[in-house]
Structures are given as structure tokens and as C-alpha cells.
Amino acid sequence: MASALIEDYALLGDLHTAALLGRDGGIDWLCLPRFDSPACFAALLHDESAGYWRIAPAGGGPATRRGYRGDTLIVDSEWDTPGGTVRVTDFMPPRGKSADVVRIVEGVSGRVPMRMDLVIRFDYGNVVPWMRRSDDGLIAVAGPDTVCLSSPVGMRGENMTTVAEFEVSAGEQVPFVLTHTPSHLLPDTVRSEAVRALGKTESFWQNWIDQCSYRGRWADAVRRAVITLKALTYAPTGGIVAAATTSLPECIGGVRNWDYRYCWLRDATFTLQALLGTGYIAEAKAWREWLVRAVAGDPAKLQIMYGLDGTRRLPEQMLDWLSGYEGSTPVRTGNEAAGQFQLDVWGEVLDGLNLALDSGLECEDTAWDIQRALLDFLEGHWDSPDASLWEVRGPQRHFVHSKVMAWAGVDRAVHAVQNHGREGPVDRWRALASAIHADVCEHGFDTERGTFTQYYGSAGLDSALLLIPRVGFLPWDDPRVVGTVEAVQRELSSDGFLRRYDTSEGSVDGLPGTEGAFLVCTFWLADALHGIGRRDEARALFERLLGLRNDVGLLSEEYDTESGRQVGNTPQAFSMVGLVNTARGLSGESTRTKLGANG
């Protein structure tokens, strides 16, 4: 059976890992015990033989209706059948001793025949576990992993699948609890506590969302977005993964399939803006502290991304036994781009730490020492070519956005000395910022076309150029900014949504195939249109973007305008962050506490 559409999936999570639940009642993706662990359900990237878990009426088919239960991460799916109506409630309790997936089947009316199908395959479908029965279910063991399924329903083996058939009547509840533990420990299931766990999980999310301070026009969308960001947070460290999945393609059938289950420095400032701007100070502080720990060390070895706990080595591998989502290969784990030189990350880290400082998130003195070391490196390397924000796997170039962010990093250091009493060679830094600014304006601006370009000497454009006024490099009303916004909208638009850059044959990244419209870039366009005074157009574009969300409010990385479907890894933190920050901006809330020395 082929995977569902990307937008058919809802997210479950316990602040350590996440699962994807389809409309048909199937969980097709689950990595245990962490986001970046090997999957035990990997049907998403192959077929059901790679692991899945479905509970649905015996007749099958998609749920008649489904949705999150209020502002929680609990999904209720209901099927209307000839025999009656049944509800399946799916959730993952916030992590205790072990990872649990709880599924409660409840009769709403009549009497409905049900079927459960379970295939556990560790290591992304590569390892068939040893299965044995337990007093209340079954136990699957292979190598370091044990998964237990507990239920009062009898189960049997059928064609390498564990099957259960049962009926549920109105008012009756049948729980299923899947628990993961290391194989050397005894499992501790909570089947008898399933209903109680549901109440605790609902209270957890309701108490958490009560802290949300956003009260603007798009409050429902913003609340769902920040809940998703929380769900993508690895609670032990505060790191936020870019997405819950790996290798969902940017173009169906293509090779642009990357592992996004890591933490990118590029997201730092935007994520802090979203969290601080919606009242989540504790989460912002945890993310800031993850950031400081991750970048500590030799500033010359700063990476663009790290593991959930700050791990640096993320070797890229191909899983050749998986056929890929709708035939999109290769399937990758790890990410080779971690070793790229991307100049902008130095500026992004410095910008993010400055935003935290402006917002009252005081750091220890060591944090400023780290920033001083990053500035020393930036001072000696700002004029080097790099791989850009978009991790181009081609020749290094002098990308304009990278230079702008180098300027932003130095500018924020000047700001820290002037406004927060930090010590540093402020005159030298001020002169350096001026030199970078002049270099960008001289070499990165096309005077004939009236726009900044993707890199020095290029005729191409880049959606990241829309951030020039947002980081304070130039004011919104500067003609060069207005010209750049108009040029990017004109040349990179696909049905009104933006691509990151030109990905046609012979483009800057050197990869075959194309990609969809990049959603966060389109949120940036809405911000930019608002910034240059085209506010009605900005709001209309934002509303169109909201219309791309799936039925439970989630966005992946990209959108294919030709096929009208979501593509790329999902749910994408950068897309949800873009939604929050644009909603705040269009509602009249500043998305920055400062616009920069030249703003």
C-alpha cells in the first residue's frame, strides 16, 4: 500500500519524538526513543512491510472526520459506518520513564467491527524483531530495542502481521498501549491507565497553551503553530528539530530528499521571535541555552546544524532498502550539509543571542565570551565565499544574504556594547560593519535592474534577500529594498508563492530536478509586502498561505503549485515559525526588538 499524501498526516508527540497518523487510522512513521532514532514504523518511506500500525473499522477507508481535541496534541478520528459510529483517540503522553503511544477505541453509536494491523520493523524496516506473547499482549525485541503492545483484545499472527479483530458498542472503550524500552529493561506499560493518561495529556496541553499571549486576528492558527513547535522540541535539551521526518521529497520522484531531524542554527532568531512574541519565555530560554551549548568551542568549527543534544557528527547515509516516498530516492539519514561553511550562521547566532539579550534573557558572562570569539572569526572571514543559507551543494560563492548576516552579527555586537554595557572594541566593530555594508551595496546590487542579487555578479535572485530590511541592513522605504521585493516577487513566484531561488537546469545548486514553493519564503514575502506598504496584498497572501495547511493546521516545508499538494519534510518548524511571526507582524506586533544600527 502506498503512503498517503503528506498533508494527510497529523502529528503526535511526547516532547522526545513524534509519530505521523494518517486519515485511515494508520501510524506510518515513528522513531523511538528520539526524533533522530531509527524508525520502527517506516511505511511512510516504503510500504507497510517497513512497519506501520493501523486501527480502523474492518471495512477500512479514511475517517469521516478528525481533528485535534481543542488546543492539544490529541487526535480524535471518527468513522460513520453502516453499523454505527466509532471514535479512535490517539496521543502520546508527555514522556515519563518510557515512550508510549496510546490509542483508545470508543463506540459512539451502534456496534462497529474493528481491525488492528501491526507490523514492527526496527532500523527503518530493516530488522524483523523476535515476537513473543505476554500476559496482556505481545513483546517485540531486536538488539537494543523492545516494543510492547498491551490490550485486552486477543491478537494473532497473519502474514508477518499482528492482527486483532473485535467489535465495539456505544459507550465501550478498548485501549491499546504501545511502549518502547531498552531491551535490557523490563517494560512498564500503562494499559490500565490509558484513560487516566488521556486526561493528564489533555491537561498538560491545555495548561501549556494558556500561556500563549497572542490575541490577534489569526489566534487559532498561531496557537496550533506554537503547539507544533513545542511538539518538535526535544525536552531534555531544549533543541527544536527542523521537522519530524527524513527524506520526504521537495519534488515527488526527485533526489532532494534530506534528513531534517536535527537543529539548525539558521532558525535561531526566527524561533526566538516566535516564542518570545507569544509569551513562551521558558521555551525561548531553553532554546537559547541549547544554542549557547551547541556553538561553544572553536568558532572556526561552528556548524550550521547539530543533533538534539548538540552532537556535531551527523554522517549522511543512504538506506537503499527503502523505495522512498512515492519512489523518491535516495532515502537519507544524517546530513552532509553539517560540514558546509555557511557564513550566515555566525551572524544568525549573534543576532539570536542579541535578541535574547534585548528581551531580558540574561546570559552568563561565558555567553558573551563565546560571542566575542564568534566575532573574531567573523572579522577575519566575512569576505570568504560560502554555501549560503540554502546549503547549496555546488561551488562556494559570495552570497548576498550571507554578507548581510555577517553585517548583522557585527551590528548586534555594537548594540550590545552601546545598550547592554558589554565590553568590546566597539569602534573597530562599527568600522567593520560599515565596511561589510559598503561591500554588499557595491557588489551585491544590480543598479540596472534595481535589485540585490543572489550572489556577487549573479543575475539570479534569492528569497532570502527579503530579509535585508528585516535585519535592519536598510530601511523598508529604501528604493533598493522596494526594488528587491518587487523583483523577487516577480521572478521567483509560482502561482503567487515563492521558490527559494531558480532551481532549473544549470542553477546554482547543481542538483537535478526542481522543488516546490518554499513556504517560509512566502511568509517572508507577506512580511515584505506589509513592510513596503502593500498591506492589503500582504494580508491576502497570508490568508492564501493559511489555506495551504492541512485539515489539522500543519504545514510541511514546501508546496507544489502544479499538483496542489504539500511536499518536503513535515511538519516543518520553519514554516510554522513563519506563520507565527507573520501573523504577529500583520497584527501590528513587531517581530523584532531592534532593527539594527542602520535601520
Side-chain angles (χ1 to χ4, degrees):
M1 180 176 176
S3 300
L5 297 176
I6 291 172
E7 56 266 37
D8 282 343
Y9 289 102
L11 180 74
L12 309 176
D14 66 353
L15 310 184
H16 285 240
T17 190
L20 293 186
L21 170 69
R23 296 174 188 264
D24 65 348
I27 295 176
D28 291 345
W29 181 254
L30 174 62
C31 299
L32 291 171
R34 308 191 334 173
F35 291 103
D36 57 352
S37 298
C40 64
F41 299 151
L44 179 71
L45 299 178
H46 190 64
D47 58 32
E48 292 177 347
S49 66
Y52 76 107
W53 184 19
R54 182 181 303 114
I55 301 177
T64 308
R65 54 195 164 273
R66 69 165 183 177
Y68 284 112
R69 181 176 297 187
D71 291 324
T72 74
L73 214 64
I74 300 166
V75 178
D76 289 317
S77 304
E78 293 187 354
W79 284 262
D80 295 333
T81 76
T85 297
V86 64
R87 177 187 304 120
V88 178
T89 299
D90 292 288
F91 64 98
M92 297 182 71
R95 182 73 61 91
K97 293 181 180 179
S98 58
D100 299 304
V101 181
V102 181
R103 315 191 70 179
I104 301 174
V105 182
E106 181 178 2
V108 177
S109 67
R111 188 167 181 84
V112 181
M114 300 292 296
R115 180 180 172 99
M116 184 212 75
D117 295 272
L118 173 70
V119 174
I120 299 171
R121 295 291 183 267
F122 295 117
D123 192 26
Y124 305 99
N126 192 42
V127 175
V128 179
W130 171 53
M131 307 287 289
R132 62 183 173 88
R133 294 187 182 279
S134 65
D135 292 340
D136 60 354
L138 59 87
I139 299 175
V141 180
D145 298 298
T146 294
V147 166
C148 307
L149 178 62
S150 174
S151 176
V153 173
M155 306 176 201
R156 69 178 190 275
E158 183 181 289
N159 299 323
M160 299 296 288
T161 302
T162 298
V163 174
E165 293 176 321
F166 58 101
E167 292 187 345
V168 61
S169 300
E172 185 180 0
Q173 291 184 328
V174 180
F176 293 80
V177 179
L178 184 142
T179 301
H180 173 273
T181 60
S183 58
H184 63 280
L185 299 178
L186 292 175
D188 182 18
T189 62
V190 294
R191 185 190 96 192
S192 62
E193 298 290 325
V195 175
R196 186 179 176 189
L198 174 60
K200 287 184 175 181
T201 303
E202 188 168 6
S203 295
F204 171 86
W205 286 107
Q206 288 175 340
N207 291 336
W208 188 83
I209 199 62
D210 283 346
Q211 302 171 49
C212 183
S213 60
Y214 179 83
R215 297 292 185 270
R217 177 177 174 181
W218 300 283
D220 288 347
V222 169
R223 287 199 303 271
R224 178 50 53 190
V226 295
I227 288 170
T228 306
L229 291 177
K230 179 68 171 176
L232 294 174
T233 301
Y234 183 61
T237 65
I240 301 175
V241 295
T245 57
T246 179
S247 302
L248 290 182
E250 297 174 7
C251 176
I252 302 298
V255 301
R256 299 170 188 266
N257 318 318
W258 317 111
D259 193 346
Y260 274 17
R261 298 171 298 159
Y262 307 112
C263 307
W264 265 255
L265 300 187
R266 73 182 184 204
D267 302 357
T269 303
F270 296 102
T271 302
L272 281 168
Q273 288 170 359
L275 293 172
L276 290 167
T278 51
Y280 290 101
I281 307 302
E283 283 75 13
K285 184 176 181 181
W287 172 239
R288 191 278 316 276
E289 291 175 351
W290 175 89
L291 184 65
V292 171
R293 292 193 302 271
V295 304
D298 184 353
K301 295 184 178 180
L302 187 69
Q303 294 186 181
I304 66 166
M305 74 182 84
Y306 296 84
L308 304 172
D309 53 4
T311 297
R312 292 172 177 259
R313 292 185 63 249
L314 306 174
E316 188 168 296
Q317 302 178 56
M318 311 298 183
L319 307 186
D320 57 9
W321 62 88
L322 296 177
S323 59
Y325 180 86
E326 295 192 13
S328 305
T329 57
V331 172
R332 295 177 170 93
T333 63
N335 202 308
E336 187 179 283
Q340 287 186 344
F341 173 60
Q342 296 181 21
L343 177 68
D344 61 288
V345 299
W346 278 261
E348 284 153 0
V349 170
L350 291 164
D351 187 30
L353 293 177
N354 176 77
L355 175 62
L357 191 62
D358 278 350
S359 302
L361 294 181
E362 288 293 334
C363 297
E364 297 178 359
D365 290 340
T366 53
W368 179 244
D369 293 339
I370 291 171
Q371 292 175 73
R372 289 284 304 267
L374 295 175
L375 283 158
D376 288 343
F377 179 85
L378 198 56
E379 188 171 11
H381 296 83
W382 71 267
D383 55 353
S384 300
D386 76 312
S388 94
L389 168 75
W390 304 127
E391 302 165 10
V392 171
R393 299 195 179 194
Q396 293 188 343
R397 294 179 169 89
H398 293 280
F399 288 94
V400 170
H401 172 74
S402 298
K403 307 297 186 192
V404 168
M405 290 311 302
W407 169 88
V410 179
D411 174 82
R412 300 324 185 239
V414 173
H415 175 79
V417 172
Q418 292 177 337
N419 293 54
H420 296 287
R422 296 297 191 260
E423 294 184 359
V426 67
D427 291 337
R428 193 176 84 214
W429 288 342
R430 190 179 290 112
L432 175 60
S434 296
I436 299 173
H437 198 281
D439 191 75
V440 172
C441 292
E442 179 181 355
H443 300 291
F445 186 76
D446 185 332
T447 55
E448 292 186 6
R449 296 162 62 207
T451 180
F452 285 94
T453 60
Q454 185 177 31
Y455 56 88
Y456 289 3
S458 168
L461 299 177
D462 186 331
S463 289
L465 298 171
L466 297 173
L467 301 177
I468 285 174
R470 182 164 176 160
V471 300
F473 187 85
L474 289 171
W476 287 104
D477 59 358
D478 189 292
R480 292 167 292 183
V481 168
V482 176
T484 299
V485 172
E486 292 175 345
V488 167
Q489 183 184 29
R490 181 175 60 250
E491 297 187 23
L492 294 181
S493 176
S494 177
D495 191 29
F497 304 114
L498 286 192
R499 292 169 288 125
R500 292 184 296 175
Y501 50 85
D502 179 15
T503 56
S504 60
E505 186 175 353
S507 68
V508 66
D509 64 14
L511 290 172
T514 59
E515 63 179 23
F518 209 75
L519 294 177
V520 76
C521 295
T522 311
F523 283 116
W524 294 345
L525 177 59
D527 296 335
L529 292 171
H530 184 266
I532 65 173
R534 293 161 56 181
R535 299 190 172 187
D536 289 343
E537 189 177 350
R539 283 191 291 271
L541 179 57
F542 183 63
E543 294 283 359
R544 285 194 69 200
L545 282 163
L546 292 181
L548 302 185
R549 295 173 300 154
N550 71 357
D551 62 314
V552 291
L554 303 182
L555 289 170
S556 67
E557 181 183 27
E558 300 182 11
Y559 183 75
D560 186 329
T561 56
E562 292 187 6
S563 62
R565 57 183 294 192
Q566 293 187 21
V567 290
N569 285 304
T570 195
Q572 179 80 358
F574 221 9
S575 298
M576 307 310 284
V577 164
L579 187 159
V580 173
N581 288 335
T582 300
R584 293 182 56 236
L586 299 188
S587 297
E589 300 180 20
S590 173
T591 55
R592 292 203 58 85
T593 55
K594 172 181 174 292
L595 286 178
N598 292 292

